[in-house]
Amino acid sequence: MFNLRSLQKNKTVRYGVPMLLLVVGGSFGLREFTQIRYDAQKIRKRLDPALEARVDTERQSVILEEEYEKMKQSNLDEWRNIRGPRPWEDSREYQEQQRRRDN
């Protein structure tokens, strides 16, 4: 009985141990909650198997030489760099200005 009362009055036991349990327990708890979040994102990003197979075959069928030949055939002399509208500009108004400049 005497030892229990002395432990209750001890500041380390009264404040330190609960704080330590809170910090260590919170660390493990946060790890579990963040793991659930990343697992849910991984499931959401998964593609349909048929679509994924189609995408993989398209990636494999691209040949560098064929793409080079396509680029050689394109006419780069007539190419113009047209910037998009800034966030504060009205996009329709800017498109109209670009059309007027082209004509």
Side-chain angles (χ1 to χ4, degrees):
M1 187 96 157
F2 177 72
N3 289 337
L4 184 59
R5 248 188 217 158
S6 65
L7 285 178
Q8 286 178 346
K9 290 183 179 183
N10 189 346
K11 286 187 178 184
T12 303
V13 174
R14 189 170 180 161
Y15 299 110
V17 172
M19 182 65 178
L20 186 64
L21 288 174
L22 182 67
V23 170
V24 172
S27 171
F28 286 108
L30 284 175
R31 184 184 65 181
E32 293 301 319
F33 282 120
T34 55
Q35 188 62 42
I36 291 170
R37 174 182 164 197
Y38 291 125
D39 290 343
Q41 286 178 355
K42 189 184 297 184
I43 290 170
R44 194 176 311 142
K45 288 182 181 178
R46 191 175 299 157
L47 290 176
D48 181 37
L51 180 61
E52 190 173 355
R54 182 176 167 198
V55 168
D56 287 340
T57 57
E58 287 178 7
R59 285 182 188 165
Q60 293 173 356
S61 66
V62 174
I63 298 173
L64 189 60
E65 287 81 15
E66 291 176 3
E67 292 298 318
Y68 177 70
E69 292 299 324
K70 288 180 189 176
M71 291 301 294
K72 275 180 37 179
Q73 292 174 358
S74 64
N75 188 1
L76 297 178
D77 294 331
E78 296 178 8
W79 181 79
R80 280 189 47 208
N81 187 17
I82 301 174
R83 75 165 179 85
R86 303 271 165 62
W88 58 86
E89 294 175 340
D90 182 25
S91 63
R92 291 178 187 228
E93 180 182 324
Y94 187 76
Q95 289 173 358
E96 291 297 324
Q97 287 176 358
Q98 292 294 325
R99 287 185 186 127
R100 281 188 237 132
R101 288 181 190 166
D102 289 342
N103 293 332

